Amino acid sequence: MEIPAVAVPAGSFFTPLLLVCGTLVAAVLCAAHHLGLFYRLLHKVDKTSIRHGGESVAAVLRAHGVRFVFTLVGGHISPLLVACEKLGIRVVDTRHEVTAVFAADAVARLTGTVGVVAVTAGPGLTNTVTAVKNAQIAQSPVLLLGGAASTLLQKRGALQAIDQMSLFRPLCKFCASVRRVRDIMPTLRAAMAAAQSGTPGPVFVELPIDVLYPYFMVQKEMVPAKPPKDLMGRVVTWYLTNYLANLFAGAWEPQPEGPLPLDIPQASPQQVQRCVEVLSRAKRPLMVLGSQALLPPTPTDKLRAAVESLGVPCFLGGMARGLLGRGHPLHIRENRSTALKKADVILLAGIVCDFRLSYGRVLSRRSKIIIVNRNRKEMLINSDMFWKPQEAVQGDVGSFVVKLVEGLQGQTWASDWAEELQQADRQKEQSFREKAEMPVGQHLNPVRVLQLVEETLPDNSILVVDGGDFVGTAAHLVQPRGPLRWLDPGAFGTLGVGAGFALGAKLCRPDAEVWCLFGDGAFGYSLIEFDTFVRHKVPVMAMIGNDAGWTQISREQVSCLGSNVACGLAYTDYHKAAMGLGAQGLLLSRENEDQVVKVLRDAQQWCREGHPVVVNIFIGRTDFRDGSIAM
């Protein structure tokens, strides 16, 4: 029986072949793209250039107006430090990386720009974590530049190589690792914009060693000098040569260096109008201003004029301290909880209901609350439990206050409300004067010492505070003389900010007198940085309230738990230790208690002559801070 032939379509033989060929072509094209072969058709690799990636970093920083880079040197980051120096950016090296970050934080707060710090890989970066977290909570725009192992050697056991990106993602609002030299400029520009946009905060850019050093040095380390003869060796050498070419392809082509536009949220006209209507009906209005109010773009003098024009009594916290100067009638300094309970309309401008406002429990449910903040999540914290906002406005605080005042032009409030709050202030201040006259068991009364500091403090001063009990007392007694003249760690309560804050403050405000108030416990973190002050000729004054202990903790620990374990220190001669580092040292104790003002004047004179000074003040203990919490 004959079997009939089956007709096969002519194209059926070619379809699988076309699919296979298409897949192979696609794979080859994809591999070529991954290997950078297409990019290098249009962008050359200059193998003779001695330029390096550090120059790209420095160029972007200069274009953004950066004047200082704080660092602790390491081989991973040497090119960028050298390049910054060549472009006139002052490189300031500290004795600990955490100090470098605190210094950059201070520059950011006082100038309204991005503070910049560069540290080496691994432990250099891990040493910054506390200060970066402090900057995050304080909402300071800080750019952290971190060295890293070569891109090829990461996860292969290289020196100081760890997963740095995972470490900083929870701490920074922008994190990026640069993988090619040509990516340095766009990455840094994006990071600088992210640091200042929305809610400001720290950003992190990782710069592996092979994107910072010049081609010939990277080639020497990456590619064998003598090509191997075996096939596998040749393949590996080709791959390494190609990898090196991709690192440097298009590296020196012109790119934009300057700032990108910032994204700063603004309150809508409708929101502002609703707040105008609420505040216009108030009988006992009260305003609480926090650090966010001092952020750019609103100039501090314009904000101050707006607050004065508004005429509402206010409390000032964080970087807003000093906004109205010393002794302004609208500035209420004491009895905040009582005042908040009595107010019928409260404007929380750049401050949130965290532990500082007892999570909102100090606010009366009868009060109408207006809150404005750049960060909506933080703005509404605890609003589901202890308080409810009448109006919650996400936007820039300073701009909002200015617009609010424009909408309330001509509005006035009865003077008896402000007078009531001022009278409570005067009564509290009288109690302070009485405590200043009370005898202490040994050494000097800290309340009296701080009163004399307040009387001596010049108008051009910047106050840096770092400590617990002594600084907590100073917050009631010593007033900053103007806006942006008070630096404290912020809500994180970090000890050890003093030297870094002082360094940044004096460098960006060279004509100001920087007065640092330290507790003796906190001063332990900053002592070695007097070497930094001496080397870099940065004259600052440090006044240590030395009561030989962690007194803020001890007070409660002893009364609650019956033991002073781990709370005791000694009446250490910190002034002599500072002298050993090249600074000037002075001592105040009961033996010269009638010369407090003279010693402070002597310290001022030493500073004016260019010397950093430590005034070691032996103090006794008082009940001034009884009842204050330390947790």
Side-chain angles (χ1 to χ4, degrees), residues 480-502:
R481 299 316 197 228
L484 299 177
R485 292 187 176 276
W486 173 280
L487 287 168
D488 65 27
F492 203 33
T494 309
L495 290 182
V497 302
F501 278 9

Side-chain angles (χ1 to χ4, degrees), residues 129-328:
V129 167
T130 296
V132 173
K133 184 64 182 181
N134 193 81
Q136 181 190 44
I137 292 179
Q139 300 176 352
S140 293
V142 171
L143 169 61
L144 173 63
L145 302 174
S150 167
T151 53
L152 263 183
L153 295 179
Q154 291 179 8
K155 298 183 180 180
R156 294 182 181 275
L159 173 66
Q160 298 181 334
I162 60 172
D163 184 359
Q164 299 172 162
M165 300 299 289
S166 294
L167 184 64
F168 284 97
R169 280 193 187 100
L171 305 177
C172 298
K173 52 185 300 199
F174 175 99
C175 287
S177 180
V178 176
R179 315 309 285 180
R180 294 164 299 201
V181 179
R182 65 180 178 269
D183 293 334
I184 291 175
M185 286 189 177
T187 302
L188 287 179
R189 294 175 73 218
M192 297 284 273
Q196 299 174 89
S197 294
T199 304
V203 293
F204 171 57
V205 175
E206 181 182 76
L207 296 164
I209 195 169
D210 49 355
V211 303
L212 286 181
Y213 277 82
Y215 181 94
F216 73 92
M217 294 184 69
V218 179
Q219 180 187 41
K220 182 179 179 181
E221 294 296 323
M222 185 179 291
V223 182
K226 294 182 179 180
K229 296 181 179 180
D230 62 294
L231 177 62
M232 182 56 68
R234 291 180 179 181
V235 170
V236 171
T237 299
W238 178 88
Y239 176 81
L240 293 175
T241 303
N242 183 74
Y243 190 93
L244 177 64
N246 282 332
L247 276 175
F248 284 87
W252 315 125
E253 295 173 5
Q255 294 189 65
E257 301 171 356
L260 293 169
L262 304 182
D263 180 15
I264 299 175
Q266 297 290 340
S268 70
Q270 295 80 9
Q271 289 174 313
V272 174
Q273 182 57 36
R274 288 198 299 269
C275 296
V276 166
E277 293 170 2
V278 172
L279 196 54
S280 66
R281 293 190 290 269
K283 302 297 182 185
R284 298 183 305 281
L286 192 64
M287 180 162 54
V288 185
L289 280 164
S291 295
Q292 266 197 26
L294 276 292
L295 291 175
T298 305
T300 55
D301 56 349
K302 187 174 183 179
L303 178 64
R304 174 174 178 163
V307 172
E308 290 177 324
S309 177
L310 185 61
V312 171
C314 60
F315 288 91
L316 306 174
M319 292 302 297
R321 284 176 179 264
L323 175 65
L324 298 177
R326 182 187 187 193
H328 196 286

